[in-house]
Amino acid sequence: MAKKINFGILGGGAIAAFHADAINELDDANLVGLFEPNPENAKAFSEKYGIKAYGSYSEMLEDAGIDAVCICTPSGFHAENAMDALNSSKHVVLEKPMAFTAEEADKIIEACEKSNCILSVI
């Protein structure tokens, strides 16, 4: 049996619930945790899914138990958030838009290639 992929989610808005539900439907994936900057939203989301609420995005990225991160933040943060995850050797599932400029997209791709991680854009 293949190793299960452990996911963290960045951002606890409406789209994050779709990611959480999809992960929970997969036999080879586990939803482990979430970082959501609003403490009330983080608590509610983590309790609903029975997962850890991290105190910061960097704390989640430093967790060796997280293999992949779903980026579910507002669009203006996607490029920075994806590069942070890739530079932390995490696979990334990135909500659209990937980036606002071609230069940002190129930087994400470069970080992906350097990390040898998988990048998937929804």
Side-chain angles (χ1 to χ4, degrees):
M1 182 173 163
K3 175 187 179 277
K4 287 193 174 196
I5 299 170
N6 293 323
F7 281 85
I9 296 177
L10 174 60
I15 198 68
F18 287 98
H19 284 260
D21 292 339
I23 292 165
N24 284 335
E25 290 292 320
L26 299 171
D27 292 332
D28 56 355
N30 292 316
L31 180 56
V32 175
L34 160 99
F35 173 66
E36 160 55 38
N38 179 304
E40 292 173 6
N41 292 350
K43 184 176 189 285
F45 195 98
S46 65
E47 287 177 355
K48 177 180 179 180
Y49 289 98
I51 59 174
K52 178 177 181 172
Y54 291 91
S56 69
Y57 184 38
S58 60
E59 179 187 354
M60 186 170 72
L61 293 179
E62 291 168 5
D63 186 341
I66 299 283
D67 302 308
V69 177
C70 296
I71 308 292
C72 300
T73 53
S75 301
F77 298 100
H78 288 180
E80 179 182 350
N81 296 154
M83 286 185 285
D84 288 343
L86 291 163
N87 290 333
S88 296
S89 299
K90 307 297 184 195
H91 303 291
V92 172
V93 176
L94 182 58
E95 272 293 331
K96 62 172 178 32
M98 177 181 184
F100 284 150
T101 67
E103 292 80 19
E104 285 179 331
D106 287 343
K107 287 180 182 179
I108 295 169
I109 293 167
E110 183 179 321
C112 181
E113 290 170 346
K114 283 183 181 176
S115 70
N116 202 31
C117 289
I118 296 168
L119 168 67
S120 174
V121 181
I122 295 177

